[in-house]
Amino acid sequence: MTRPAGASRDAAADERTVGAATAQRAVPLTPAPEEAVVKHKAAPKPVERPGELIEPGRALALVDFSPPSLGAGERLIRFAYKVGIPGSMLSAPVGRKSKNRVLATVTNTVPGNRAAGVALRAGHFLVHGAKTPIAQIDFAGAARVTPPLERVVHSFAWLADLEACTAREQGAPVAERILSAWLAANAAPPSRPGKGPAWSVGCTGARLMNWLTFAPLVLSGDKALRSRTLAAIAQTARWLDRHVTRAEDHLAEVAGWCGIVAAGLLLADGHPRRLFGEAGLINALGELMGDDGGVLSRSPLAQMEAIALLVRLRDCYKATRRDAPEAVEQVLAMLVPPVLALTHGDGSLGSWQGAWAVDAADIAALIAASGVRTRPLRDVRQWGYQRVLARKTILQFDAAPPPMPRHARFGCASTLAFEMSHAGHRLIVNCGGAAAGGGLVPVRLEQGLRATAAHSTLTLDDANSTAILINGKIGSGVTEVAVDRKTLQNENGSSATRLEASHNGYAARYGLTHQRILILRDDGTELRGEDLLIPKGRKTRHGRIGFAIRFHLAPEAEVRLGEDGQGAGIALPDGSYWQMRLTGDGDLALEDSLWVDGQGRPQASQQLVIQGMVSRGGGNFGWLIKKMG
């Protein structure tokens, strides 16, 4: 597909290339008809050309869409608005001033959290289980609060919660009290984004969208407050016009463009702004996601946020009796299948890249609002997650490097981790919930929840496979992952899915490549695994190093170690009984862990750990998880 000139700031950086994987074992692999072989790796250093911006790294291939087709007159209007001519001069006769008002009432189709709305009526913000009195909030942002609460307060996302719990007559006074306090503390926007928590591009775009979507809640009061609110809406839209391209990341830029388009649809003299916003939004959506529909941050939470933004924007189009651009509908259709790929049998979300196990009801409501009817992707190659469905058993496998630092919001060192559930009950999980740090999950745990040890995979010397930095960012580590997926046919007619992947996150420090092989039988009753440490290069290395292979268990799973220290029994609430056995070196131990539930709350759990010492010359560790009876 050909990219229009200027359509991507990152087009010069082919950051994750897809190609044939080289075999990591002595026996070469013979591809089956269903086999997929993918290699994610860092691109070689590009050659700089005069006038070309080069950003080397590891980005996914980007999806291109074209803005809606316009006639010559509308193209001229869009260009004139872009260079700074006011919309009133382009839309109305000279000297005529349009009344400042919202032109239509939007019907919101993305429901909020009813419990959080009830808490608001009682005088508290409820975020991830933690209550904060409204009276204690510094709306100016001088006294910083936790990041999740900060986002909810300043984006006005709580308006959806308030609408979900009560009628407008009861909700409007609550909304107006909070809005009045916020406007008093934020009388004028700053000169540039980032000055204060309220004025990032992402937060500002979401706030403008929410003000317009839930206008009946914030514009039902006295005339003075209504006038102040309308002035703030118009002022915020103008601020976004100037600063939207200075967003903190691609998702924030999409939020900013959505706010601009919504203002163009619902404010007077908005036609030029809508034309300007639609072109910017389509371009930003192309920058946000890869060819398979996964966002570059690899975060399911970011994926869900993008879906919610576009659904609410489509609601704004419907309110003005317009159809959303075809590209918006195409993007929605591409965003939904990757989210479904990370759901378990009960419909709840897997714990990946900072996400907690979002409840099935929340996922279902979002998908229903999108209007997209589709199946989960089993092999999201560029987004990097593999999904295997074997009757009642679901396996999820992270087979890609972490996101690039500029894309990461809560980047996790989770490469080659897996989750497993049976009949709607989780068996093997990741801790998850880094993005919920600041609710009932303490902020000090956020970095720990992003670490390799918080995921069901192998660690060496208690080190992360990719460095974990502050503010959700990540450092050096995994740059290349080779993936091989095939279907194995047995002589008795049964089959199994075989996943093999390896990463180089420990190669630089320890001279070892981690390779993991997972084989799931087609009846879902047996998962056979093998973790290999393969020496990199021909240099002989001496000494031994500690290793640990962690299997975090769901809180609902009851576990007991076997007497021989080489196995454990696991009972699930549905009455099924599973046995884990070691088939290689190492000792099996039972340790404490935690898991962040569907509401972002920490729950005590346990983990099985295969641990010991391994030679610098490599080693292999086999294990088996099998349903008994």
Side-chain angles (χ1 to χ4, degrees):
M1 188 176 293
T2 303
R3 177 179 300 279
S8 169
R9 293 188 298 274
D10 298 313
D14 182 18
E15 299 171 84
R16 279 195 190 120
T17 62
V18 178
T22 56
Q24 298 293 327
R25 307 182 69 194
V27 180
L29 301 173
T30 303
E34 296 88 353
E35 181 180 6
V37 181
V38 180
K39 192 171 186 179
H40 302 279
K41 65 179 181 178
K45 185 175 181 180
V47 179
E48 296 191 18
R49 298 178 178 86
E52 183 179 12
L53 178 62
I54 303 296
E55 295 186 21
R58 312 188 302 271
L60 301 177
L62 301 177
V63 179
D64 298 334
F65 295 98
S66 299
S69 179
L70 301 176
E74 288 188 322
R75 288 199 299 271
L76 182 60
I77 291 174
R78 184 172 66 192
F79 175 77
Y81 188 82
K82 183 177 180 179
V83 298
I85 299 177
S88 57
M89 293 184 61
L90 298 170
S91 301
V94 176
R96 179 181 174 184
K97 187 176 181 180
S98 298
K99 185 178 179 181
N100 199 9
R101 61 193 179 95
V102 176
L103 302 177
T105 300
V106 179
T107 300
N108 172 51
T109 59
V110 184
N113 186 307
R114 190 176 186 277
V118 171
L120 279 168
R121 295 189 65 195
H124 298 83
F125 286 107
L126 177 64
V127 180
H128 304 321
K131 285 185 177 181
T132 305
I134 296 173
Q136 294 182 9
I137 299 294
D138 178 10
F139 292 99
R144 299 297 295 269
V145 296
T146 60
L149 178 60
E150 204 170 70
R151 289 191 294 271
V152 168
V153 169
H154 293 296
S155 70
F156 279 69
W158 52 267
L159 285 172
D161 303 331
L162 196 59
E163 184 194 60
C165 80
T166 188
R168 185 184 71 181
E169 292 74 17
Q170 286 75 44
V174 178
E176 289 162 4
R177 284 197 298 272
I178 301 174
L179 175 64
S180 296
W182 191 92
L183 291 175
N186 296 273
S191 59
R192 64 178 185 273
K195 283 196 169 184
W199 293 99
S200 65
V201 170
C203 196
T204 305
R207 179 169 65 248
L208 181 58
M209 279 274 291
N210 288 320
W211 279 347
L212 293 167
T213 301
F214 303 102
L217 286 175
V218 297
L219 294 176
S220 299
D222 61 80
K223 186 176 180 180
L225 178 59
R226 188 163 59 248
S227 178
R228 286 176 60 203
T229 304
L230 287 168
I233 289 173
Q235 188 179 46
T236 301
R238 291 193 296 271
W239 187 87
L240 277 174
D241 288 343
R242 297 192 301 271
H243 299 295
V244 64
T245 57
R246 301 172 69 180
E248 52 273 26
D249 59 27
H250 291 316
L251 183 57
E253 185 173 348
V254 167
W257 285 114
C258 283
I260 289 172
V261 175
L265 289 165
L266 296 169
L267 297 182
D269 300 327
H271 179 62
R273 176 178 279 132
R274 176 177 65 82
L275 297 178
F276 166 70
E278 285 175 343
L281 174 62
I282 303 308
N283 180 61
L285 289 172
E287 301 284 349
L288 175 70
M289 52 192 282
D291 285 341
D292 53 20
V295 296
L296 300 187
S297 66
R298 302 194 63 225
S299 166
L301 292 180
Q303 195 89 5
M304 293 173 63
E305 184 178 340
I307 293 171
L309 283 168
L310 295 183
V311 171
R312 286 212 168 106
L313 182 62
R314 187 173 63 188
D315 293 340
C316 295
Y317 276 99
K318 289 181 179 178
T320 58
R321 298 182 179 181
R322 292 178 177 272
D323 292 329
E326 184 180 353
V328 171
E329 299 292 350
Q330 290 175 343
V331 170
L332 271 174
M334 294 183 67
L335 287 171
V336 170
V339 171
L340 295 178
L342 294 185
T343 56
H344 285 284
D346 62 352
S348 61
L349 193 67
S351 302
W352 300 104
Q353 291 299 319
W356 55 93
V358 178
D359 283 344
D362 296 333
I363 299 287
L366 180 63
I367 301 305
S370 74
V372 177
R373 299 183 63 183
T374 185
R375 294 180 180 180
L377 292 182
R378 70 162 195 169
D379 181 7
V380 191
R381 300 188 187 185
Q382 291 185 338
W383 205 29
Y385 300 104
Q386 299 283 330
R387 173 189 176 92
V388 182
L389 174 62
R391 294 191 183 178
K392 295 181 180 181
T393 299
I394 293 176
L395 176 70
Q396 299 174 7
F397 186 42
D398 182 358
M404 284 294 294
R406 67 174 176 275
H407 301 312
R409 287 194 162 189
F410 295 93
C412 296
S414 59
T415 309
L416 302 197
F418 77 97
E419 289 199 348
M420 180 180 178
S421 63
H422 174 75
H425 297 284
R426 294 172 191 247
L427 180 61
I428 306 298
V429 299
N430 300 309
C431 295
L440 290 182
V441 176
V443 173
R444 65 179 180 274
L445 292 184
E446 180 256 331
Q447 278 188 275
L449 292 174
R450 296 165 52 214
T452 304
H455 298 81
S456 294
T457 187
L458 175 144
T459 59
L460 279 179
D461 197 28
D462 291 327
N464 294 317
S465 58
T466 298
I468 298 298
L469 308 179
I470 62 172
N471 297 326
K473 301 302 181 184
I474 54 179
S476 61
V478 178
T479 59
E480 181 174 334
V481 176
V483 188
D484 171 29
R485 177 173 180 150
K486 65 165 61 172
T487 298
L488 304 178
Q489 298 293 339
N490 297 325
E491 293 180 357
N492 60 5
S494 65
S495 63
T497 299
R498 183 181 188 275
L499 294 171
E500 178 179 350
S502 62
H503 76 71
N504 63 345
Y506 292 120
R509 283 170 286 178
Y510 306 114
L512 294 169
T513 295
H514 176 206
Q515 182 178 13
R516 169 164 275 187
I517 301 170
L518 301 176
I519 302 175
L520 180 64
R521 281 177 45 168
D522 62 350
D523 61 4
T525 62
E526 179 182 295
L527 176 66
R528 188 174 296 274
E530 185 178 11
D531 287 283
L532 300 94
L533 291 170
I534 303 170
K536 185 177 178 64
R538 299 181 178 180
K539 182 180 179 181
T540 302
R541 296 175 182 266
H542 302 284
R544 295 167 67 83
I545 188 170
F547 76 92
I549 306 172
R550 301 179 185 276
F551 302 83
H552 295 274
L553 301 173
E556 60 186 7
E558 297 182 8
V559 60
R560 177 177 295 179
L561 281 179
E563 294 182 358
D564 61 357
Q566 294 294 298
I570 307 169
L572 294 182
D574 63 352
S576 63
Y577 185 78
W578 298 74
Q579 189 176 57
M580 178 176 180
R581 295 293 300 176
L582 274 60
T583 60
D585 297 334
D587 298 314
L588 188 63
L590 183 62
E591 299 179 0
D592 291 334
S593 182
L594 68 84
W595 177 73
V596 181
D597 70 10
Q599 298 298 318
R601 302 167 300 194
Q603 304 290 336
S605 64
Q606 294 177 292
Q607 59 178 314
L608 290 167
V609 186
I610 304 172
Q611 55 192 351
M613 303 295 291
V614 62
S615 165
R616 294 267 185 159
N620 66 293
F621 315 97
W623 46 268
L624 173 70
I625 300 175
K626 185 173 183 178
K627 184 174 182 290
M628 309 302 293

